[in-house]
Amino acid sequence: MKNFTKVSDISSVPLMVQKALELKANPFAFSALGKNKTLGLIFMNPSLRTRLSSQKAAMNLGMNSMVMNIDKEGWSLELTDGAVMNGTTVEHIKDAAGAMSLYCDIIGIRCFPSLVNSKEDYSELVLSQFIKYSSVPIVSLESATRHPLQSFADMITIEEHKLQTKPKVVLTWAPHVKALPQAVANSFAEWAIASNYELVISHPEGYELSEEFTKGAQIEYNQQRALQGADFVYVKNWSSFRDYGKILTQDDSWLLTNNKLKVTSNAKIMHCLPVRRNVELSDEVLNSPNSLIMQQAENRIYSAQTMLKELLENSSILKL
Ligand code: CP
């Protein structure tokens, strides 16, 4: 593994989940592994969990970390090769990534989509330019189309709470006041499918995710039918992929309640956070004993720590 940006960068989700659970049981077992190594965390967008859990993961491995909110603190980046930079951009990504590679042994980057142009967003231009021009491994801290460290943490959480080998996992759309990326939903779908879980995705018509991520999942437009017998219900809003970046409805009948959950198999409830309470998910569900939101947040440490450990152990790709 040279970089970690998607589920196909790892050989086996169950194997990685087991490695993460071993690290969770003994988080400081490899506290010398990262000695004199530096993790750079570059944010183009806000973050609470990703920022802090990645720093905590690095600390557990004995690594140093440096954080930069490049959108506020850095030069405006040019992404296009060969650009004549006589406009608003000040620094080419080639030079920025090249310099960062001199200061860091691993670089994490968060780069959200514009939600204006699907072709541009789904080409992952920012992430791929960072990979192209960096000489150290790149870890996605959420890109335009995926959030792999979140999905990995979600798989660790499901493993800890599942009562059967192949649980029924329902990913359900929820209303929101803002247009949000599809990244968490895309990523959760591809990790759940790679984990060989029964995945049902439920959303209003028009909110279909790109088939690139959902092949192998069942799509059910009736939320109540989707919830029947569910072991896990993952709640998330996303904007339309088909009518790219648009909010097609804010229908609050999609808001999950304890009453709706009666048809599930005492389902555990998941959300990646941040969540707009009583818009995207009700207080009564978020505060219920079946809610796993804090367990997911905790497992963000171990998803990041496992991936950093894998990259540190693959010393041929790190600077000496
Ligand atoms: N779930 C998640 O990535 O949270 P942050 O956006 O706060 O990092």
Side-chain angles (χ1 to χ4, degrees):
M1 185 172 67
K2 164 80 170 75
N3 304 295
F4 177 63
T5 65
K6 55 190 180 307
V7 71
S8 58
D9 290 330
I10 61 170
S11 56
S12 157
V13 176
L15 179 68
M16 280 296 165
V17 167
Q18 284 314 314
K19 288 185 178 193
L21 290 172
E22 283 166 26
L23 268 183
K24 186 173 180 178
N26 199 356
F28 307 113
F30 299 90
S31 59
L33 186 67
K35 187 167 186 283
N36 297 331
K37 300 288 182 194
T38 301
L39 173 67
L41 296 168
I42 309 300
F43 288 91
M44 294 184 165
N45 315 94
S47 168
L48 185 155
R49 278 143 293 272
T50 305
R51 178 177 178 143
L52 296 180
S53 63
S54 301
Q55 286 185 277
K56 175 74 177 154
M59 279 190 265
N60 288 355
L61 292 168
M63 289 184 92
N64 296 306
S65 60
M66 300 191 296
V67 184
M68 184 173 188
N69 299 313
I70 202 167
D71 58 326
K72 298 181 189 72
E73 300 159 357
W75 303 112
S76 164
L77 287 182
E78 175 61 53
L79 301 175
T80 312
D81 291 336
V84 178
M85 292 171 52
N86 58 1
T88 53
T89 56
V90 178
E91 175 159 40
H92 200 280
I93 197 164
K94 176 179 168 72
D95 305 316
M100 286 174 195
S101 301
L102 302 172
Y103 313 139
C104 305
D105 298 277
I106 299 173
I107 297 173
I109 171 91
R110 169 166 279 198
C111 46
F112 285 177
S114 65
L115 292 182
V116 174
N117 182 327
S118 64
K119 206 164 160 228
E120 219 167 83
D121 287 344
Y122 275 65
S123 76
E124 291 283 12
L125 182 63
V126 182
L127 191 63
S128 58
Q129 289 292 70
F130 258 98
I131 289 171
K132 181 174 171 185
Y133 289 123
S134 162
S135 57
V136 299
I138 297 290
V139 174
S140 167
L141 305 176
E142 186 172 345
S143 68
T145 66
R146 292 179 170 93
H147 195 355
L149 286 175
Q150 179 65 53
S151 305
F152 183 22
D154 297 335
M155 295 306 120
I156 299 167
T157 311
I158 290 176
E159 179 64 27
E160 289 178 312
H161 293 274
K162 72 182 189 190
L163 299 175
Q164 51 185 309
T165 318
K166 190 168 177 160
K168 177 176 176 180
V169 179
V170 176
L171 168 62
T172 180
W173 181 90
H176 204 286
V177 291
K178 267 189 73 185
L180 298 189
Q182 297 97 32
V184 170
N186 285 342
S187 206
F188 182 80
E190 69 176 359
W191 282 73
I193 291 164
S195 301
N196 198 30
Y197 295 151
E198 180 190 348
L199 178 66
V200 178
I201 306 177
S202 189
H203 52 71
E205 291 200 31
Y207 278 93
E208 294 76 9
L209 295 165
S210 164
E211 285 177 11
E212 178 189 352
F213 300 95
T214 59
K215 208 159 174 270
Q218 182 194 333
I219 311 300
E220 172 57 71
Y221 295 110
N222 182 316
Q223 189 189 45
Q224 207 54 34
R225 260 206 301 271
L227 291 173
Q228 291 273 351
D231 298 296
F232 293 89
V233 179
Y234 200 100
V235 183
K236 186 72 186 83
N237 169 269
W238 61 88
S239 59
S240 175
F241 172 68
R242 198 194 284 174
D243 197 356
Y244 192 66
K246 297 280 186 313
I247 295 176
L248 307 180
T249 178
Q250 291 177 325
D251 182 359
D252 63 10
S253 71
W254 280 80
L255 184 71
L256 213 56
T257 58
N258 281 337
N259 194 40
K260 279 189 187 180
L261 288 167
K262 283 181 183 156
V263 299
T264 69
S265 185
N266 195 26
K268 302 288 186 192
I269 309 304
M270 303 177 73
H271 190 287
C272 64
L273 304 180
V275 63
R276 290 205 182 214
R277 283 177 174 255
N278 305 311
V279 173
E280 199 181 359
L281 197 45
S282 61
D283 275 341
E284 65 168 8
V285 175
L286 283 164
N287 299 341
S288 83
N290 281 16
S291 168
L292 295 180
I293 56 173
M294 286 301 136
Q295 288 86 340
Q296 290 171 264
E298 184 185 14
N299 283 332
R300 289 297 307 272
I301 302 168
Y302 304 105
S303 66
Q305 195 172 333
T306 306
M307 287 307 158
L308 291 175
K309 179 172 173 283
E310 291 291 306
L311 291 167
L312 287 169
E313 285 173 341
N314 187 0
S315 56
S316 64
I317 59 173
L318 294 176
K319 289 182 293 190
L320 296 176

